[in-house]
Amino acid sequence: MFDHARFFADKIAELKQEGRYRVFAELERTAGAFPRAKNHCADGIKEITVWCSNDYLGMGQNAQVLAAMHQAIDKYGAGAGGTRNISGTNHCHVVLERELAELHGTEAALVFGSGWVANMTSLSTIGALMPDCIILSDEKNHNSMIEGMRHSKADKKIFRHNDPAHLEELLAECDPDRPKLVTFESVYSMDGDISPIARFVELAEKYGAMTYLDEVHAVGMYGPRGAGVAAREGVADRITIIQGTLAKAFGVVGGYIAGAAALCDVVRSYGSGFIFSTSMPPAVAAAALASLRYLRDHDELRDRHQERAAELKRRLTEAGLPVMPSESHIVPVLVGDPRLCKEASDALLEGFGIYVQPINYPTVPRGTERLRFSPTPLHGDDDMDRLIAALTAVWGRLGLKAAA
């Protein structure tokens, strides 16, 4: 008989053997103290500095966001009451969708429980509904996009990362009358590079294709009022579907799409990931709405964020540490080995109170394992001084490669 227990134990052993087994640090975020946190470990509770949070602007602890969530709990209670179709559509959801549409200049928006569900549901629904649809996907698109395309069962072509020439080559091979959808991200979260959005849009228009842009790592941080990179480059109105998250720059949780009213209605009406999922609690929607409104009016927070990222890159370079090229707020430092990457992360946490998770395969290709830093407006110069000193010490202790 099949030994189920042994099978699962062996699969975990494989990960540990490869150095890819993930251990979660037990952290306790303290409101008002970010990027400080408490680490619950074998030696007790220790104060640490978080350097890898996707709460990019610290909005998860913004006083106005917290106040909106408290007020909504008192007013509406804890849960949503069900799926949006049954009893889970709250006034907060409607207002949030209205203002997300306004932010992106679209007719409508649709909110989901997470950005992953938004991508999975939207792409699987659109790809399945359009007859003989073909999806053209950047080779580095996020897992949620890949899963959505896979579940759509539509034909798929993969173009080289951020390569307009290869995309055009594939588009030219397609039947002109066939429905086509080009999918890509604006900011890629592991390398920090930014896609040539305007060129991709031009090609999609030339060949009669729709465009699907994931702005998860850009909304709130780029463009006028935080509307994203497409807005910054003046092409947002030419994107068919913009997808974003409420869990990163906005500091809460949830995802959404924004686009034409009919398109959003199709996903609402046909998308099983939307239809059968309990909607987000009203207090979460209220907090996300407060964060959206705050960030629309605070360009200085975005300016400070970009300055901090540039300053960290400069300091890493001056210290001879192998910071990888990045056009955005993402600051990756190359290690190149899964075991050493984990050892470096552990050494930083245990010896210096610095928390940054190792990024290993399959999140990044083998041989490009790294530490991924995401400085926020709340990381000061003293924090950077301590980080550079700690990294220099750990690099020396582990014999890691310096910058070329």
PDB file of all heavy atoms in Angstrom, residues 69-105:
ATOM      1  N   MET A  69     -10.626  51.798  10.363  1.00  0.00           N
ATOM      2  CA  MET A  69     -10.936  50.402  10.632  1.00  0.00           C
ATOM      3  C   MET A  69     -11.683  50.258  11.958  1.00  0.00           C
ATOM      4  O   MET A  69     -12.681  49.523  12.040  1.00  0.00           O
ATOM      5  CB  MET A  69      -9.659  49.564  10.633  1.00  0.00           C
ATOM      6  CG  MET A  69      -9.893  48.084  10.872  1.00  0.00           C
ATOM      7  SD  MET A  69      -8.398  47.079  10.654  1.00  0.00           S
ATOM      8  CE  MET A  69      -8.446  46.756   8.899  1.00  0.00           C
ATOM      9  N   HIS A  70     -11.229  50.959  12.997  1.00  0.00           N
ATOM     10  CA  HIS A  70     -11.913  50.906  14.284  1.00  0.00           C
ATOM     11  C   HIS A  70     -13.365  51.378  14.157  1.00  0.00           C
ATOM     12  O   HIS A  70     -14.295  50.746  14.680  1.00  0.00           O
ATOM     13  CB  HIS A  70     -11.185  51.791  15.302  1.00  0.00           C
ATOM     14  CG  HIS A  70      -9.965  51.167  15.885  1.00  0.00           C
ATOM     15  ND1 HIS A  70     -10.000  50.027  16.666  1.00  0.00           N
ATOM     16  CD2 HIS A  70      -8.655  51.517  15.811  1.00  0.00           C
ATOM     17  CE1 HIS A  70      -8.785  49.706  17.041  1.00  0.00           C
ATOM     18  NE2 HIS A  70      -7.938  50.593  16.536  1.00  0.00           N
ATOM     19  N   GLN A  71     -13.553  52.481  13.468  1.00  0.00           N
ATOM     20  CA  GLN A  71     -14.900  53.042  13.323  1.00  0.00           C
ATOM     21  C   GLN A  71     -15.810  52.093  12.554  1.00  0.00           C
ATOM     22  O   GLN A  71     -16.991  51.939  12.884  1.00  0.00           O
ATOM     23  CB  GLN A  71     -14.813  54.393  12.623  1.00  0.00           C
ATOM     24  CG  GLN A  71     -14.163  55.487  13.475  1.00  0.00           C
ATOM     25  CD  GLN A  71     -13.776  56.711  12.662  1.00  0.00           C
ATOM     26  OE1 GLN A  71     -14.164  56.857  11.493  1.00  0.00           O
ATOM     27  NE2 GLN A  71     -12.997  57.601  13.273  1.00  0.00           N
ATOM     28  N   ALA A  72     -15.250  51.444  11.515  1.00  0.00           N
ATOM     29  CA  ALA A  72     -16.061  50.534  10.714  1.00  0.00           C
ATOM     30  C   ALA A  72     -16.449  49.286  11.509  1.00  0.00           C
ATOM     31  O   ALA A  72     -17.570  48.778  11.363  1.00  0.00           O
ATOM     32  CB  ALA A  72     -15.306  50.135   9.445  1.00  0.00           C
ATOM     33  N   ILE A  73     -15.555  48.793  12.347  1.00  0.00           N
ATOM     34  CA  ILE A  73     -15.897  47.650  13.195  1.00  0.00           C
ATOM     35  C   ILE A  73     -17.047  48.007  14.130  1.00  0.00           C
ATOM     36  O   ILE A  73     -18.017  47.250  14.289  1.00  0.00           O
ATOM     37  CB  ILE A  73     -14.670  47.176  14.003  1.00  0.00           C
ATOM     38  CG1 ILE A  73     -13.651  46.519  13.076  1.00  0.00           C
ATOM     39  CG2 ILE A  73     -15.093  46.188  15.098  1.00  0.00           C
ATOM     40  CD1 ILE A  73     -12.355  46.165  13.746  1.00  0.00           C
ATOM     41  N   ASP A  74     -16.960  49.173  14.732  1.00  0.00           N
ATOM     42  CA  ASP A  74     -18.022  49.615  15.641  1.00  0.00           C
ATOM     43  C   ASP A  74     -19.353  49.801  14.901  1.00  0.00           C
ATOM     44  O   ASP A  74     -20.424  49.531  15.450  1.00  0.00           O
ATOM     45  CB  ASP A  74     -17.630  50.936  16.314  1.00  0.00           C
ATOM     46  CG  ASP A  74     -16.475  50.769  17.289  1.00  0.00           C
ATOM     47  OD1 ASP A  74     -16.245  49.636  17.753  1.00  0.00           O
ATOM     48  OD2 ASP A  74     -15.783  51.769  17.574  1.00  0.00           O
ATOM     49  N   LYS A  75     -19.264  50.230  13.648  1.00  0.00           N
ATOM     50  CA  LYS A  75     -20.475  50.534  12.882  1.00  0.00           C
ATOM     51  C   LYS A  75     -21.072  49.305  12.210  1.00  0.00           C
ATOM     52  O   LYS A  75     -22.304  49.128  12.202  1.00  0.00           O
ATOM     53  CB  LYS A  75     -20.157  51.595  11.833  1.00  0.00           C
ATOM     54  CG  LYS A  75     -21.366  52.106  11.065  1.00  0.00           C
ATOM     55  CD  LYS A  75     -20.981  53.267  10.152  1.00  0.00           C
ATOM     56  CE  LYS A  75     -22.197  53.823   9.420  1.00  0.00           C
ATOM     57  NZ  LYS A  75     -21.826  54.974   8.545  1.00  0.00           N
ATOM     58  N   TYR A  76     -20.206  48.442  11.634  1.00  0.00           N
ATOM     59  CA  TYR A  76     -20.693  47.342  10.802  1.00  0.00           C
ATOM     60  C   TYR A  76     -20.487  45.953  11.414  1.00  0.00           C
ATOM     61  O   TYR A  76     -21.063  44.981  10.931  1.00  0.00           O
ATOM     62  CB  TYR A  76     -19.986  47.354   9.438  1.00  0.00           C
ATOM     63  CG  TYR A  76     -20.135  48.650   8.684  1.00  0.00           C
ATOM     64  CD1 TYR A  76     -19.011  49.419   8.383  1.00  0.00           C
ATOM     65  CD2 TYR A  76     -21.377  49.098   8.259  1.00  0.00           C
ATOM     66  CE1 TYR A  76     -19.132  50.610   7.668  1.00  0.00           C
ATOM     67  CE2 TYR A  76     -21.506  50.278   7.552  1.00  0.00           C
ATOM     68  CZ  TYR A  76     -20.376  51.041   7.261  1.00  0.00           C
ATOM     69  OH  TYR A  76     -20.501  52.221   6.575  1.00  0.00           O
ATOM     70  N   GLY A  77     -19.653  45.840  12.435  1.00  0.00           N
ATOM     71  CA  GLY A  77     -19.331  44.536  12.981  1.00  0.00           C
ATOM     72  C   GLY A  77     -18.099  43.953  12.325  1.00  0.00           C
ATOM     73  O   GLY A  77     -17.405  44.624  11.555  1.00  0.00           O
ATOM     74  N   ALA A  78     -17.823  42.673  12.609  1.00  0.00           N
ATOM     75  CA  ALA A  78     -16.563  42.070  12.192  1.00  0.00           C
ATOM     76  C   ALA A  78     -16.584  41.533  10.762  1.00  0.00           C
ATOM     77  O   ALA A  78     -15.698  41.824   9.969  1.00  0.00           O
ATOM     78  CB  ALA A  78     -16.182  40.946  13.160  1.00  0.00           C
ATOM     79  N   GLY A  79     -17.571  40.726  10.416  1.00  0.00           N
ATOM     80  CA  GLY A  79     -17.568  40.040   9.125  1.00  0.00           C
ATOM     81  C   GLY A  79     -18.451  40.695   8.092  1.00  0.00           C
ATOM     82  O   GLY A  79     -19.241  41.607   8.381  1.00  0.00           O
ATOM     83  N   ALA A  80     -18.324  40.180   6.856  1.00  0.00           N
ATOM     84  CA  ALA A  80     -19.102  40.730   5.750  1.00  0.00           C
ATOM     85  C   ALA A  80     -20.488  40.107   5.649  1.00  0.00           C
ATOM     86  O   ALA A  80     -21.392  40.678   5.046  1.00  0.00           O
ATOM     87  CB  ALA A  80     -18.356  40.533   4.439  1.00  0.00           C
ATOM     88  N   GLY A  81     -20.659  38.896   6.189  1.00  0.00           N
ATOM     89  CA  GLY A  81     -21.964  38.255   6.144  1.00  0.00           C
ATOM     90  C   GLY A  81     -22.143  37.259   5.037  1.00  0.00           C
ATOM     91  O   GLY A  81     -23.191  36.630   4.936  1.00  0.00           O
ATOM     92  N   GLY A  82     -21.133  37.092   4.186  1.00  0.00           N
ATOM     93  CA  GLY A  82     -21.248  36.109   3.120  1.00  0.00           C
ATOM     94  C   GLY A  82     -20.568  36.566   1.856  1.00  0.00           C
ATOM     95  O   GLY A  82     -19.793  37.521   1.840  1.00  0.00           O
ATOM     96  N   THR A  83     -20.885  35.877   0.763  1.00  0.00           N
ATOM     97  CA  THR A  83     -20.378  36.284  -0.541  1.00  0.00           C
ATOM     98  C   THR A  83     -21.108  37.552  -0.971  1.00  0.00           C
ATOM     99  O   THR A  83     -22.164  37.904  -0.448  1.00  0.00           O
ATOM    100  CB  THR A  83     -20.612  35.193  -1.587  1.00  0.00           C
ATOM    101  OG1 THR A  83     -22.025  35.043  -1.800  1.00  0.00           O
ATOM    102  CG2 THR A  83     -20.029  33.859  -1.131  1.00  0.00           C
ATOM    103  N   ARG A  84     -20.545  38.213  -1.973  1.00  0.00           N
ATOM    104  CA  ARG A  84     -21.189  39.443  -2.458  1.00  0.00           C
ATOM    105  C   ARG A  84     -22.580  39.138  -3.016  1.00  0.00           C
ATOM    106  O   ARG A  84     -23.472  39.987  -2.974  1.00  0.00           O
ATOM    107  CB  ARG A  84     -20.319  40.084  -3.546  1.00  0.00           C
ATOM    108  CG  ARG A  84     -19.006  40.668  -3.050  1.00  0.00           C
ATOM    109  CD  ARG A  84     -19.160  42.009  -2.389  1.00  0.00           C
ATOM    110  NE  ARG A  84     -19.544  43.057  -3.290  1.00  0.00           N
ATOM    111  CZ  ARG A  84     -18.712  43.805  -3.999  1.00  0.00           C
ATOM    112  NH1 ARG A  84     -17.410  43.596  -3.933  1.00  0.00           N
ATOM    113  NH2 ARG A  84     -19.172  44.773  -4.775  1.00  0.00           N
ATOM    114  N   ASN A  85     -22.775  37.926  -3.531  1.00  0.00           N
ATOM    115  CA  ASN A  85     -24.057  37.572  -4.140  1.00  0.00           C
ATOM    116  C   ASN A  85     -25.146  37.294  -3.105  1.00  0.00           C
ATOM    117  O   ASN A  85     -26.326  37.421  -3.418  1.00  0.00           O
ATOM    118  CB  ASN A  85     -23.882  36.323  -5.013  1.00  0.00           C
ATOM    119  CG  ASN A  85     -22.964  36.573  -6.184  1.00  0.00           C
ATOM    120  OD1 ASN A  85     -23.315  37.271  -7.112  1.00  0.00           O
ATOM    121  ND2 ASN A  85     -21.765  36.010  -6.132  1.00  0.00           N
ATOM    122  N   ILE A  86     -24.742  36.905  -1.908  1.00  0.00           N
ATOM    123  CA  ILE A  86     -25.748  36.522  -0.910  1.00  0.00           C
ATOM    124  C   ILE A  86     -26.057  37.685   0.018  1.00  0.00           C
ATOM    125  O   ILE A  86     -27.107  38.290  -0.047  1.00  0.00           O
ATOM    126  CB  ILE A  86     -25.273  35.280  -0.127  1.00  0.00           C
ATOM    127  CG1 ILE A  86     -25.155  34.089  -1.088  1.00  0.00           C
ATOM    128  CG2 ILE A  86     -26.239  34.941   1.005  1.00  0.00           C
ATOM    129  CD1 ILE A  86     -24.582  32.836  -0.450  1.00  0.00           C
ATOM    130  N   SER A  87     -25.132  37.991   0.907  1.00  0.00           N
ATOM    131  CA  SER A  87     -25.411  39.107   1.828  1.00  0.00           C
ATOM    132  C   SER A  87     -24.140  39.847   2.195  1.00  0.00           C
ATOM    133  O   SER A  87     -24.070  40.502   3.222  1.00  0.00           O
ATOM    134  CB  SER A  87     -26.069  38.566   3.101  1.00  0.00           C
ATOM    135  OG  SER A  87     -25.243  37.602   3.720  1.00  0.00           O
ATOM    136  N   GLY A  88     -23.120  39.761   1.316  1.00  0.00           N
ATOM    137  CA  GLY A  88     -21.830  40.299   1.675  1.00  0.00           C
ATOM    138  C   GLY A  88     -21.413  41.572   0.974  1.00  0.00           C
ATOM    139  O   GLY A  88     -20.253  41.960   1.036  1.00  0.00           O
ATOM    140  N   THR A  89     -22.347  42.236   0.259  1.00  0.00           N
ATOM    141  CA  THR A  89     -22.004  43.514  -0.350  1.00  0.00           C
ATOM    142  C   THR A  89     -22.359  44.626   0.626  1.00  0.00           C
ATOM    143  O   THR A  89     -23.529  44.853   0.937  1.00  0.00           O
ATOM    144  CB  THR A  89     -22.741  43.733  -1.687  1.00  0.00           C
ATOM    145  OG1 THR A  89     -22.272  42.766  -2.631  1.00  0.00           O
ATOM    146  CG2 THR A  89     -22.458  45.124  -2.233  1.00  0.00           C
ATOM    147  N   ASN A  90     -21.317  45.293   1.111  1.00  0.00           N
ATOM    148  CA  ASN A  90     -21.493  46.375   2.069  1.00  0.00           C
ATOM    149  C   ASN A  90     -21.277  47.711   1.369  1.00  0.00           C
ATOM    150  O   ASN A  90     -20.595  47.776   0.336  1.00  0.00           O
ATOM    151  CB  ASN A  90     -20.483  46.183   3.220  1.00  0.00           C
ATOM    152  CG  ASN A  90     -20.657  47.181   4.335  1.00  0.00           C
ATOM    153  OD1 ASN A  90     -20.171  48.309   4.268  1.00  0.00           O
ATOM    154  ND2 ASN A  90     -21.366  46.779   5.386  1.00  0.00           N
ATOM    155  N   HIS A  91     -21.836  48.755   1.929  1.00  0.00           N
ATOM    156  CA  HIS A  91     -21.650  50.087   1.356  1.00  0.00           C
ATOM    157  C   HIS A  91     -20.161  50.409   1.193  1.00  0.00           C
ATOM    158  O   HIS A  91     -19.766  51.059   0.220  1.00  0.00           O
ATOM    159  CB  HIS A  91     -22.327  51.128   2.251  1.00  0.00           C
ATOM    160  CG  HIS A  91     -22.175  52.535   1.762  1.00  0.00           C
ATOM    161  ND1 HIS A  91     -22.695  52.966   0.561  1.00  0.00           N
ATOM    162  CD2 HIS A  91     -21.539  53.612   2.314  1.00  0.00           C
ATOM    163  CE1 HIS A  91     -22.391  54.242   0.385  1.00  0.00           C
ATOM    164  NE2 HIS A  91     -21.694  54.658   1.429  1.00  0.00           N
ATOM    165  N   CYS A  92     -19.316  49.940   2.126  1.00  0.00           N
ATOM    166  CA  CYS A  92     -17.872  50.189   2.045  1.00  0.00           C
ATOM    167  C   CYS A  92     -17.271  49.595   0.778  1.00  0.00           C
ATOM    168  O   CYS A  92     -16.376  50.189   0.154  1.00  0.00           O
ATOM    169  CB  CYS A  92     -17.157  49.608   3.264  1.00  0.00           C
ATOM    170  SG  CYS A  92     -17.502  50.441   4.816  1.00  0.00           S
ATOM    171  N   HIS A  93     -17.740  48.415   0.379  1.00  0.00           N
ATOM    172  CA  HIS A  93     -17.224  47.793  -0.846  1.00  0.00           C
ATOM    173  C   HIS A  93     -17.567  48.637  -2.067  1.00  0.00           C
ATOM    174  O   HIS A  93     -16.734  48.831  -2.956  1.00  0.00           O
ATOM    175  CB  HIS A  93     -17.824  46.393  -1.031  1.00  0.00           C
ATOM    176  CG  HIS A  93     -17.512  45.447   0.078  1.00  0.00           C
ATOM    177  ND1 HIS A  93     -18.482  44.736   0.743  1.00  0.00           N
ATOM    178  CD2 HIS A  93     -16.339  45.091   0.654  1.00  0.00           C
ATOM    179  CE1 HIS A  93     -17.919  43.979   1.668  1.00  0.00           C
ATOM    180  NE2 HIS A  93     -16.614  44.175   1.634  1.00  0.00           N
ATOM    181  N   VAL A  94     -18.772  49.125  -2.093  1.00  0.00           N
ATOM    182  CA  VAL A  94     -19.242  49.913  -3.243  1.00  0.00           C
ATOM    183  C   VAL A  94     -18.450  51.213  -3.364  1.00  0.00           C
ATOM    184  O   VAL A  94     -17.988  51.591  -4.452  1.00  0.00           O
ATOM    185  CB  VAL A  94     -20.749  50.202  -3.117  1.00  0.00           C
ATOM    186  CG1 VAL A  94     -21.216  51.091  -4.263  1.00  0.00           C
ATOM    187  CG2 VAL A  94     -21.540  48.896  -3.097  1.00  0.00           C
ATOM    188  N   VAL A  95     -18.255  51.900  -2.247  1.00  0.00           N
ATOM    189  CA  VAL A  95     -17.509  53.164  -2.272  1.00  0.00           C
ATOM    190  C   VAL A  95     -16.048  52.918  -2.638  1.00  0.00           C
ATOM    191  O   VAL A  95     -15.455  53.677  -3.410  1.00  0.00           O
ATOM    192  CB  VAL A  95     -17.617  53.887  -0.911  1.00  0.00           C
ATOM    193  CG1 VAL A  95     -16.759  55.149  -0.902  1.00  0.00           C
ATOM    194  CG2 VAL A  95     -19.062  54.226  -0.609  1.00  0.00           C
ATOM    195  N   LEU A  96     -15.456  51.856  -2.099  1.00  0.00           N
ATOM    196  CA  LEU A  96     -14.069  51.536  -2.418  1.00  0.00           C
ATOM    197  C   LEU A  96     -13.904  51.272  -3.906  1.00  0.00           C
ATOM    198  O   LEU A  96     -12.968  51.778  -4.546  1.00  0.00           O
ATOM    199  CB  LEU A  96     -13.618  50.318  -1.605  1.00  0.00           C
ATOM    200  CG  LEU A  96     -12.210  49.786  -1.883  1.00  0.00           C
ATOM    201  CD1 LEU A  96     -11.155  50.859  -1.638  1.00  0.00           C
ATOM    202  CD2 LEU A  96     -11.932  48.539  -1.030  1.00  0.00           C
ATOM    203  N   GLU A  97     -14.801  50.492  -4.495  1.00  0.00           N
ATOM    204  CA  GLU A  97     -14.715  50.216  -5.928  1.00  0.00           C
ATOM    205  C   GLU A  97     -14.891  51.484  -6.747  1.00  0.00           C
ATOM    206  O   GLU A  97     -14.200  51.694  -7.752  1.00  0.00           O
ATOM    207  CB  GLU A  97     -15.761  49.172  -6.311  1.00  0.00           C
ATOM    208  CG  GLU A  97     -15.413  47.774  -5.807  1.00  0.00           C
ATOM    209  CD  GLU A  97     -16.501  46.750  -6.007  1.00  0.00           C
ATOM    210  OE1 GLU A  97     -17.671  47.135  -6.228  1.00  0.00           O
ATOM    211  OE2 GLU A  97     -16.196  45.544  -5.922  1.00  0.00           O
ATOM    212  N   ARG A  98     -15.780  52.335  -6.317  1.00  0.00           N
ATOM    213  CA  ARG A  98     -16.007  53.600  -7.035  1.00  0.00           C
ATOM    214  C   ARG A  98     -14.733  54.445  -7.034  1.00  0.00           C
ATOM    215  O   ARG A  98     -14.347  55.028  -8.051  1.00  0.00           O
ATOM    216  CB  ARG A  98     -17.150  54.353  -6.373  1.00  0.00           C
ATOM    217  CG  ARG A  98     -17.565  55.645  -7.083  1.00  0.00           C
ATOM    218  CD  ARG A  98     -18.634  56.354  -6.274  1.00  0.00           C
ATOM    219  NE  ARG A  98     -19.772  55.469  -6.025  1.00  0.00           N
ATOM    220  CZ  ARG A  98     -20.511  55.509  -4.922  1.00  0.00           C
ATOM    221  NH1 ARG A  98     -20.226  56.366  -3.946  1.00  0.00           N
ATOM    222  NH2 ARG A  98     -21.539  54.691  -4.784  1.00  0.00           N
ATOM    223  N   GLU A  99     -14.055  54.503  -5.894  1.00  0.00           N
ATOM    224  CA  GLU A  99     -12.877  55.365  -5.802  1.00  0.00           C
ATOM    225  C   GLU A  99     -11.640  54.724  -6.430  1.00  0.00           C
ATOM    226  O   GLU A  99     -10.745  55.428  -6.886  1.00  0.00           O
ATOM    227  CB  GLU A  99     -12.641  55.771  -4.353  1.00  0.00           C
ATOM    228  CG  GLU A  99     -13.798  56.602  -3.809  1.00  0.00           C
ATOM    229  CD  GLU A  99     -13.393  57.589  -2.730  1.00  0.00           C
ATOM    230  OE1 GLU A  99     -12.202  57.931  -2.621  1.00  0.00           O
ATOM    231  OE2 GLU A  99     -14.294  58.027  -1.997  1.00  0.00           O
ATOM    232  N   LEU A 100     -11.576  53.404  -6.481  1.00  0.00           N
ATOM    233  CA  LEU A 100     -10.502  52.747  -7.223  1.00  0.00           C
ATOM    234  C   LEU A 100     -10.651  53.025  -8.715  1.00  0.00           C
ATOM    235  O   LEU A 100      -9.660  53.286  -9.413  1.00  0.00           O
ATOM    236  CB  LEU A 100     -10.528  51.237  -6.966  1.00  0.00           C
ATOM    237  CG  LEU A 100      -9.969  50.776  -5.622  1.00  0.00           C
ATOM    238  CD1 LEU A 100     -10.333  49.319  -5.355  1.00  0.00           C
ATOM    239  CD2 LEU A 100      -8.455  50.961  -5.557  1.00  0.00           C
ATOM    240  N   ALA A 101     -11.875  52.975  -9.212  1.00  0.00           N
ATOM    241  CA  ALA A 101     -12.126  53.307 -10.615  1.00  0.00           C
ATOM    242  C   ALA A 101     -11.732  54.750 -10.902  1.00  0.00           C
ATOM    243  O   ALA A 101     -11.107  55.056 -11.927  1.00  0.00           O
ATOM    244  CB  ALA A 101     -13.593  53.060 -10.965  1.00  0.00           C
ATOM    245  N   GLU A 102     -12.069  55.637  -9.975  1.00  0.00           N
ATOM    246  CA  GLU A 102     -11.710  57.054 -10.153  1.00  0.00           C
ATOM    247  C   GLU A 102     -10.203  57.234 -10.156  1.00  0.00           C
ATOM    248  O   GLU A 102      -9.651  58.005 -10.949  1.00  0.00           O
ATOM    249  CB  GLU A 102     -12.349  57.872  -9.025  1.00  0.00           C
ATOM    250  CG  GLU A 102     -12.304  59.379  -9.247  1.00  0.00           C
ATOM    251  CD  GLU A 102     -10.978  60.011  -8.819  1.00  0.00           C
ATOM    252  OE1 GLU A 102     -10.315  59.428  -7.922  1.00  0.00           O
ATOM    253  OE2 GLU A 102     -10.599  61.055  -9.384  1.00  0.00           O
ATOM    254  N   LEU A 103      -9.490  56.510  -9.277  1.00  0.00           N
ATOM    255  CA  LEU A 103      -8.034  56.602  -9.213  1.00  0.00           C
ATOM    256  C   LEU A 103      -7.408  56.233 -10.551  1.00  0.00           C
ATOM    257  O   LEU A 103      -6.471  56.891 -11.019  1.00  0.00           O
ATOM    258  CB  LEU A 103      -7.500  55.671  -8.116  1.00  0.00           C
ATOM    259  CG  LEU A 103      -5.977  55.572  -7.988  1.00  0.00           C
ATOM    260  CD1 LEU A 103      -5.391  56.877  -7.460  1.00  0.00           C
ATOM    261  CD2 LEU A 103      -5.582  54.398  -7.082  1.00  0.00           C
ATOM    262  N   HIS A 104      -7.921  55.187 -11.187  1.00  0.00           N
ATOM    263  CA  HIS A 104      -7.338  54.692 -12.431  1.00  0.00           C
ATOM    264  C   HIS A 104      -8.008  55.265 -13.682  1.00  0.00           C
ATOM    265  O   HIS A 104      -7.601  54.933 -14.799  1.00  0.00           O
ATOM    266  CB  HIS A 104      -7.401  53.163 -12.457  1.00  0.00           C
ATOM    267  CG  HIS A 104      -6.500  52.517 -11.453  1.00  0.00           C
ATOM    268  ND1 HIS A 104      -5.130  52.540 -11.554  1.00  0.00           N
ATOM    269  CD2 HIS A 104      -6.774  51.837 -10.299  1.00  0.00           C
ATOM    270  CE1 HIS A 104      -4.595  51.900 -10.532  1.00  0.00           C
ATOM    271  NE2 HIS A 104      -5.558  51.462  -9.751  1.00  0.00           N
ATOM    272  N   GLY A 105      -9.024  56.093 -13.489  1.00  0.00           N
ATOM    273  CA  GLY A 105      -9.691  56.691 -14.641  1.00  0.00           C
ATOM    274  C   GLY A 105     -10.463  55.691 -15.474  1.00  0.00           C
ATOM    275  O   GLY A 105     -10.559  55.823 -16.702  1.00  0.00           O
TER     276      GLY A 105
END
